[in-house]
């Protein structure tokens, strides 16, 4: 094979080059990386690439800062916009690794396809992540505390208020450090007034437009003294879908030992990378798993016969949050204290240990920078 035909058949050969414009000075001085609140200070650089006329054009890592965009772009008008969230962590030897980034590459393209947006080549997505994280490596918190959160964002910059598939896009990635994210067990309010997702909708992908409508339910929960919302299915308003922006797990005891129940990926559940990782670990621990619909009524019934053990949510930011109670139609289902929750606690500890390189990466989840 000649060199030219090889170049043509190699998709990586057509990927845009990533230019670099360094920031004049770092903003890192005086920042205590072990103690930064989530989403409070942003790293020095961001990645920006433009898609236009059917092709990826210029890509650049440049100083973090405002984007100048016209007000008529369809990202703003119609939420033609999708995003991802993942973390990079410092390992004991000082190196840095991302957690399962290729899952985010695949998922952003499922989200993009649902919004009639062209795919981001997976190699390009990975190269962009690697280049940006490597540039701001100093922003990754020390091994014992915190992580670097990475937010890929992909949206239309079509300057048109016509409702139609967009043609031009920006792919932007920014990052920020955050200190250890410990959240106390949370109370969740089952909302019957609002739904997050419905069959045929967009609940199984991550478009920007999914999140603003959820805020009213969040407010309803806060007014009831709860930290978060327990979402029910949009058709029967009977089955538990998700908890806030986390996938949800309930542990029941049925005489044959514990069984972990989580709603199936049947169109309204976001396929969380943390959900998938938690399931792999639970399976590895030899604990039974049932991916099936679970009604609030079943949880109430389990509570009344004393077979309710644990409830937790999973997502990239918090990894795993224990759910202390579920409020439903004026009743409160109170779960056992965290000391009596061996499964959620073990899953959380193991996930964190693998991501931080403290225990062997037997599943091949770490992508070293
Ligand atoms: C992002 C997200 C999750 C968690 O996904 P991870 O990949 O584990 O971070 C769960 N539910 C919703 C609705 C989400 O948007």
């Amino acid at each position: 094979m000649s060199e030219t035909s090889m170049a043509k058949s190699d998709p990586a050969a057509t990927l845009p080059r990533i230019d670099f414009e360094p920031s004049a000075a770092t903003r890192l001085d005086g920042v205590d990386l072990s103690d930064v609140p989530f989403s409070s200070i942003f790293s020095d650089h961001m990645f920006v690439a433009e898609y236009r006329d059917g092709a990826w054009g210029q890509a650049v890592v440049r100083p973090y800062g405002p984007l100048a965009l016209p007000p008529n772009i369809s990202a703003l008008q119609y939420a033609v916009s999708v995003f991802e969230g993942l973390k990079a962590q410092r390992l004991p030897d000082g190196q840095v690794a991302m957690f399962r980034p290729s899952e985010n590459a695949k998922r952003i393209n499922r989200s993009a396809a649902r919004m009639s947006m062209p795919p981001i080549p997976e190699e390009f997505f990975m190269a962009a992540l690697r280049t940006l994280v490597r540039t701001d490596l100093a922003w990754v918190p020390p091994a014992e505390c915190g992580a670097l959160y990475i937010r890929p964002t992909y949206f239309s910059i079509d300057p048109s208020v016509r409702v139609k598939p967009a043609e031009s896009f920006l792919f932007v990635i920014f990052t920020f450090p955050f200190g250890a994210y410990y959240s106390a067990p949370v109370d969740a309010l089952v909302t019957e007034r609002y739904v997050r997702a419905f069959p045929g909708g967009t609940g199984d992908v991550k478009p920007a437009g999914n999140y603003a409508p959820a805020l009213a339910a969040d407010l309803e929960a806060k007014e009831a003294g709860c930290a978060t919302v327990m979402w029910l299915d949009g058709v029967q308003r009977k089955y538990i879908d998700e908890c806030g922006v986390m996938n949800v797990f309930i542990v029941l005891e049925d005489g044959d030992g514990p069984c972990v129940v989580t709603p199936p990926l049947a169109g309204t559940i976001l396929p969380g990378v943390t959900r998938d990782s938690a399931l792999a670990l639970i399976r590895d621990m030899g604990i039974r798993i049932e991916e099936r619909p679970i009604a609030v009524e079943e949880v109430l019934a389990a509570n009344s016969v004393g077979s309710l053990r644990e409830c937790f949510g999973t997502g990239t930011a918090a990894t795993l949050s224990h759910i202390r109670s579920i409020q439903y139609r004026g009743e409160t289902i109170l779960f056992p204290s965290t000391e009596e929750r061996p499964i959620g606690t073990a899953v959380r500890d193991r996930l964190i240990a693998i991501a931080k390189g403290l225990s062997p990466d037997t599943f091949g989840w770490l992508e070293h920078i």
Side-chain angles (χ1 to χ4, degrees):
M1 204 190 286
S2 77
E3 252 181 58
T4 45
S5 68
M6 246 176 79
K8 262 184 202 146
S9 64
D10 177 9
T14 63
L15 294 179
R17 196 183 71 239
I18 301 173
D19 294 333
F20 181 44
E21 290 169 23
S23 67
T26 180
R27 288 177 284 102
L28 194 52
D29 297 335
V31 176
D32 177 7
L33 286 178
S34 65
D35 192 29
V36 210
F38 192 79
S39 189
S40 61
I41 175 164
F42 295 82
S43 313
D44 284 328
H45 296 88
M46 63 183 181
F47 170 91
V48 183
E50 206 170 295
Y51 181 97
R52 204 176 273 290
D53 302 324
W56 289 96
Q58 198 188 340
V60 63
V61 167
R62 62 161 143 107
Y64 175 85
L67 301 167
L69 293 166
N72 59 353
I73 58 171
S74 53
L76 288 175
Q77 300 301 324
Y78 306 123
V80 184
S81 180
V82 301
F83 71 95
E84 272 304 324
L86 68 155
K87 285 191 296 197
Q89 205 98 54
R90 202 169 285 280
L91 311 178
D93 63 2
Q95 284 193 55
V96 169
M98 294 186 283
F99 190 76
R100 306 187 73 182
S102 60
E103 295 302 315
N104 302 91
K106 294 185 186 89
R107 192 169 65 190
I108 203 169
N109 284 330
R110 287 199 301 272
S111 301
R114 184 65 181 79
M115 300 293 125
S116 305
M117 297 164 70
I120 300 170
E122 195 170 324
E123 278 304 306
F124 183 41
F125 183 92
M126 297 297 290
L129 286 182
R130 250 182 258 118
T131 308
L132 182 65
V133 175
R134 204 173 281 152
T135 304
D136 283 333
L137 216 50
W139 285 83
V140 183
E144 56 288 356
C145 43
L148 188 79
Y149 184 89
I150 308 168
R151 172 52 67 94
T153 316
Y154 180 34
F155 57 93
S156 163
I157 50 169
D158 270 21
S160 168
V161 295
R162 284 176 194 274
V163 179
K164 61 173 177 55
E167 291 169 354
S168 53
F169 304 89
L170 278 191
F171 169 33
V172 177
I173 311 173
F174 58 85
T175 73
F176 59 85
F178 68 110
Y181 195 112
Y182 172 75
S183 69
V186 293
D187 299 312
L189 175 75
V190 176
T191 180
E192 293 190 86
R193 189 161 166 205
Y194 303 106
V195 294
R196 191 194 82 87
F198 41 86
T202 59
D204 59 347
V205 288
K206 269 179 121 68
N210 275 7
Y211 300 86
L215 296 175
D218 220 50
L219 200 63
E220 188 191 31
K222 300 263 153 52
E223 279 164 5
C226 291
T228 188
V229 188
M230 192 66 82
W231 298 105
L232 297 184
D233 75 281
V235 178
Q236 301 186 60
R237 311 252 179 131
K238 212 171 128 182
Y239 298 99
I240 291 173
D241 257 10
E242 294 201 53
C243 184
V245 289
M246 292 191 294
N247 293 118
V248 62
F249 295 75
I250 290 170
V251 183
L252 302 170
E253 174 76 48
D254 63 3
D256 293 331
C259 179
V260 178
V261 184
T262 194
L265 302 180
T268 60
I269 307 292
L270 193 284
V273 178
T274 322
R275 175 189 183 276
D276 184 74
S277 310
L279 286 175
L281 292 177
I282 295 164
R283 213 167 280 129
D284 189 56
M285 286 154 68
I287 295 165
R288 258 183 317 143
I289 295 170
E290 288 179 3
E291 286 184 70
R292 60 161 175 89
I294 180 161
V296 193
E297 294 294 342
E298 182 183 344
V299 178
L300 279 169
N303 190 37
S304 65
V305 298
S307 63
L308 210 51
R309 291 293 175 268
E310 304 186 30
C311 184
F312 54 87
T314 61
T316 291
T319 305
L320 185 147
S321 285
H322 293 289
I323 294 164
R324 188 172 72 152
S325 75
I326 298 176
Q327 275 192 37
Y328 179 63
R329 298 190 174 168
E331 285 193 65
T332 298
I333 307 168
L334 188 64
F335 287 84
S337 71
T338 44
E339 292 74 44
E340 299 167 85
R341 298 184 184 211
I343 296 175
T345 304
V347 170
R348 184 185 152 88
D349 291 350
R350 287 182 125 203
L351 275 173
I352 292 173
I354 293 172
K356 285 180 179 287
L358 298 171
S359 60
D361 181 21
T362 44
F363 297 92
W365 286 339
L366 299 191
E367 174 89 18
H368 292 253
I369 295 290

